[in-house]
Amino acid sequence: MFLNRLKLKGRLLTSFIGMIALTCLVGAVGYVGIQKVNGELDDIFRRRLPSIDFLIEADRDLQQTLVAERSLIFAEATSDDYKTLVGEYDKNMAQARERFEQFKALVATPEERAIIQTYEKDRGEWEAVSRQVVKERQADTPESRARARELSLGPAQRKFEAARDHLDKLTGMSLEFAANDQKSAAAIHRQANVILVLACGVGVVLGLAASWWLNRSVTVPLRRSIGLLNAGS
């Protein structure tokens, strides 16, 4: 056998190299596993959770825009409340666009981009009708107020719900992606644990085998030689 033909130095060196190689293997497996888990968690915290947050905020801004639009119908055009409502309407409309743009910067999948395109089309149509509601209200006549109310409760409402439906779909997709990333990270963690346990088990077996081999091929002959020397003296 090759190992039995090695000298003492070679046998010791072989044992140490084997243990070092196994240690490096365990370390490499652990490092790769940690990096993969970190990548999945990074995707969750850097993209998925912020995406959900931006979508929720954009949806809230749209809701507040709708509230301001409806409130304008019943407010006196010359009152301070009316001016405040117009300000809130414009602010929330702008915030909804801004937060959705922040969400778009984090989007990576074709499925999301397809829904975004449809959402922006429906939102644009809703904004046009909603602006018409405000314009009719600003005319401040019984006829224009009636038209504003009819538009707000009719076409504007339908287009608003269509746009919000796309936001709901995008939120659901982001939640699903985050859940998948979490499952993937958990699977990688379990796999790395199994490999590490197996590697440690193999290390223990190899360590015991190396100890037995060194004892048999080095220690025992050395003791015999010492015994012969003692006997000769």
Side-chain angles (χ1 to χ4, degrees):
M1 185 178 178
F2 169 74
L3 293 176
N4 291 330
R5 294 197 298 269
L6 292 175
K7 295 181 180 180
L8 176 60
K9 180 180 179 180
R11 293 176 182 181
L12 292 173
L13 186 60
T14 300
S15 299
F16 288 133
I17 289 176
M19 297 306 295
I20 291 172
L22 184 62
T23 301
C24 292
L25 176 62
V26 173
V29 169
Y31 176 79
V32 171
I34 290 173
Q35 290 299 109
K36 288 183 178 180
V37 171
N38 182 68
E40 298 292 345
L41 294 178
D42 185 70
D43 186 67
I44 292 173
F45 287 104
R46 287 184 178 272
R47 292 203 308 124
R48 296 306 169 195
L49 293 183
S51 293
I52 295 168
D53 187 49
F54 288 138
L55 287 172
I56 291 174
E57 289 181 346
D59 182 67
R60 182 192 62 194
D61 290 330
L62 288 180
Q63 291 279 13
Q64 291 178 340
T65 304
L66 180 64
V67 170
E69 172 199 298
R70 297 280 173 81
S71 300
L72 283 171
I73 297 174
F74 303 98
E76 291 295 331
T78 57
S79 67
D80 292 337
D81 288 342
Y82 182 89
K83 295 178 182 178
T84 300
L85 288 170
V86 171
E88 290 179 355
Y89 175 90
D90 292 334
K91 181 185 72 173
N92 286 303
M93 184 79 81
Q95 284 182 172
R97 281 183 167 273
E98 178 185 348
R99 282 163 177 160
F100 193 78
E101 288 300 318
Q102 291 174 311
F103 162 76
K104 282 176 60 179
L106 300 173
V107 168
T109 67
E111 294 84 0
E112 289 174 299
R113 294 192 184 99
I115 296 177
I116 285 172
Q117 190 173 21
T118 307
Y119 163 77
E120 289 182 327
K121 173 181 174 296
D122 288 343
R123 187 190 64 189
E125 293 177 356
W126 166 71
E127 287 181 359
V129 179
S130 181
R131 293 287 185 187
Q132 184 63 31
V133 171
V134 176
K135 182 178 179 180
E136 291 287 353
R137 181 64 191 87
Q138 287 174 340
D140 199 28
T141 65
E143 294 78 12
S144 65
R145 181 177 293 188
R147 285 194 297 269
R149 183 167 56 253
E150 182 179 349
L151 285 172
S152 181
L153 298 177
Q157 176 69 26
R158 291 192 295 271
K159 294 181 183 298
F160 176 83
E161 292 299 333
R164 282 199 67 240
D165 183 59
H166 298 310
L167 286 182
D168 290 340
K169 289 179 181 178
L170 289 169
T171 303
M173 291 179 68
S174 293
L175 287 169
E176 184 179 355
F177 288 141
N180 290 337
D181 286 343
Q182 190 276 330
K183 290 178 182 178
S184 177
I188 293 170
H189 179 260
R190 288 193 299 270
Q191 183 182 29
N193 282 342
V194 171
I195 294 174
L196 287 174
V197 169
L198 290 176
C200 289
V202 171
V204 170
V205 172
L206 290 179
L208 293 174
S211 298
W212 174 84
W213 176 63
L214 287 174
N215 180 67
R216 183 173 176 273
S217 60
V218 177
T219 306
V220 172
L222 187 59
R223 286 176 179 173
R224 290 175 182 171
S225 299
I226 293 174
L228 291 173
L229 288 174
N230 290 335
S233 60

